[in-house]
Amino acid sequence: MVEIQTASATPRIIALANEIAERVVAPLAPRTDAEARWPQEAMQALGEAGLLGLHVPRRLGGFGEGLSALAQVTEVLGRNCSSAAMCFGMHSVATAVVAAKATPHQEEHYLRSIAAGRHVTSLALSEPGTGAHFFLPRATFRREGEAYALDGVKSFVTSGGHADSYVVSAVAPGAELDPGTFTCLLVDKGAAGLEWAKPWAGVGMRGNSSRAATLKDVRVPKGNLLGHEGDQIWFVFEVVAPYFLVAMAGTYLGVAQAALDLAVEHLRCHRYEHTSERLAENSALIEQVAEMWTVVERCRCLLRHASALGDAGSPEASKALFAAKVDVADAAVSVTNGAMTLLGGRGYQENGKLARLMRDAQAAHVMSPTTHLLKRWLGRSVLGLPLL
């Protein structure tokens, strides 16, 4: 394992995230879940603090941070409301995509607004026919004068109908089976021909407004092309995958930490009435807490190591990032289940915090790239084989 020494995200950024999480995000989390309500107040507060510009270059008013900061901010948010963390994470990934090869027009019309907290963006890559293979779009584009026309269907678009813009993937007609030549464009909210389905009703992560979108002859200005036509496979593995994996791993690490915190608080505060023994003094329960803590801390160390490798441009980064997301997904499920065992009937309360955490944790394995796909990529990477 390559050792990378790097400074963590600035204390100011983490302090801002913690302050917003405690003041705005956590109090609204139960309602966000119960009403499947998009976390508008949380996103607004993050914008007012400048955190929506986490990946916008400093010269454009942003923080100019990378993967290490994203890992820590999404963990803070995920510990308090995983839906808010998801929406922020997807915005952050889309922002990184825009910033990667931004034109002067895109800098002025998108990145400056994002840094100022006036613009939320998101990804629209997944489609109903390709499942976890988000890099194989079937939506098509065609050039018409100074614009592009888009047609197709997107699925599971986080912040669907709420974001101000969407990074949409498409291919030229006839290139649907070529995984290396798809193209991304920025589609503005309210574009003619962009139609949203009803929000998808999930078991967990209920506030992220995950929706399907139909694009019917949606006209996109030529200036909204990201990079060049057909070069988006570069974006997938150099930008989308690293930032997405870190954002999701950070979010679910926060879920696992929140469950562990509930378990520790419960054991410290309760006793067996018939013996007066504190639950925290029961050796079997002590060992279970030790195991849960070890799992969470191991995941945190791997995630921060992987993020540091990514920020340093190490060729070892991709393997560590694949492993980090897989490891955190396992941890989120196992630690929330373990916390439920420790809390017993109190934890099993309908609509309680731990029940919410358990439901939210289940998405960790199925969130594309799925655990199965990541293990395949990781194994192929270790063996020196091409990913696709």
Side-chain angles (χ1 to χ4, degrees):
M1 181 178 286
V2 178
E3 292 295 333
I4 297 293
Q5 299 298 324
T6 183
S8 63
T10 64
R12 178 190 171 203
I13 292 174
I14 305 308
L16 279 171
N18 272 303
E19 189 274 327
I20 293 167
E22 293 176 4
R23 175 173 55 85
V24 180
V25 179
L28 293 173
R31 188 175 75 172
T32 296
D33 176 71
E35 300 177 6
R37 187 173 182 273
W38 191 71
Q40 180 176 349
E41 295 88 349
M43 296 299 284
Q44 182 176 342
L46 290 164
E48 291 172 352
L51 287 173
L52 292 184
L54 188 67
H55 305 309
V56 174
R58 293 178 184 177
R59 63 183 175 80
L60 299 175
F63 283 114
E65 291 285 347
L67 297 171
S68 295
L70 182 61
Q72 295 179 68
V73 173
T74 50
E75 181 185 348
V76 167
L77 297 175
R79 202 163 63 234
N80 292 275
C81 176
S82 51
S83 289
M86 172 70 71
C87 294
F88 174 81
M90 294 298 279
H91 162 85
S92 298
V93 181
T95 298
V97 171
V98 177
K101 294 185 178 181
T103 64
H105 167 77
Q106 291 161 4
E107 290 182 348
E108 293 301 318
H109 288 79
Y110 291 97
L111 295 179
R112 285 194 184 276
S113 294
I114 289 171
R118 299 191 303 267
H119 190 104
V120 174
T121 187
S122 191
L123 296 179
L125 305 183
S126 297
E127 297 186 7
T130 53
H133 301 89
F134 63 93
F135 46 87
L136 293 174
R138 295 296 188 269
T140 60
F141 73 91
R142 63 185 186 278
R143 274 182 281 180
E144 294 192 351
E146 293 301 306
Y148 291 93
L150 290 170
D151 292 281
V153 179
K154 295 296 176 178
S155 57
F156 301 118
V157 180
T158 297
S159 298
H162 295 278
D164 299 293
S165 66
Y166 303 88
V167 174
V168 178
S169 58
V171 293
E176 292 87 351
L177 297 180
D178 187 344
T181 61
F182 75 92
T183 296
C184 279
L185 301 106
L186 267 176
V187 176
D188 291 320
K189 178 181 181 180
L194 175 60
E195 300 176 1
W196 293 101
K198 292 182 180 179
W200 177 71
V203 171
M205 311 293 289
R206 288 171 45 79
N208 67 358
S209 188
S210 181
R211 300 169 109 175
T214 300
L215 299 103
K216 298 179 179 179
D217 196 33
V218 174
R219 301 305 173 97
V220 181
K222 188 176 180 181
N224 283 23
L225 173 67
L226 297 172
H228 304 284
E229 290 183 22
D231 72 348
Q232 298 306 311
I233 204 67
W234 178 89
F235 281 93
V236 165
F237 290 107
E238 298 297 325
V239 186
V240 175
Y243 279 85
F244 186 89
L245 293 172
V246 167
M248 295 305 98
T251 295
Y252 290 108
L253 178 60
V255 169
Q257 183 64 60
L260 176 59
D261 292 343
L262 286 175
V264 170
E265 180 184 11
H266 176 76
L267 296 187
R268 284 176 172 171
C269 297
H270 291 84
R271 296 177 179 271
Y272 294 113
E273 288 190 5
H274 60 292
T275 63
S276 295
E277 179 191 27
R278 293 172 61 226
L279 270 63
E281 296 168 349
N282 182 292
S283 59
L285 302 183
I286 288 172
E287 290 184 10
Q288 188 170 348
V289 167
E291 292 171 358
M292 292 164 64
W293 183 93
T294 300
V295 166
V296 172
E297 189 62 22
R298 182 189 68 218
C299 287
R300 180 175 292 114
C301 290
L302 177 56
L303 175 57
R304 294 194 180 179
H305 176 74
S307 300
L309 289 173
D311 285 337
S314 169
E316 297 297 311
S318 59
K319 291 194 284 288
L321 290 166
F322 298 156
K325 203 291 194 156
V326 169
D327 208 27
V328 170
D330 286 334
V333 174
S334 67
V335 172
T336 52
N337 284 338
M340 182 64 74
T341 300
L342 291 174
L343 267 69
R346 288 184 175 87
Y348 203 63
Q349 178 183 1
E350 183 180 12
N351 297 324
K353 183 175 181 179
L354 184 53
R356 168 164 53 86
L357 293 170
M358 283 192 72
R359 288 187 284 104
D360 290 346
Q362 301 307 309
H365 283 300
V366 300
M367 185 71 63
S368 183
T370 63
T371 294
H372 292 302
L373 184 57
L374 287 173
K375 285 183 177 180
R376 188 181 312 154
W377 285 354
L378 177 56
R380 293 182 69 87
S381 296
V382 172
L383 293 169
L385 301 173
L387 296 184
L388 301 180

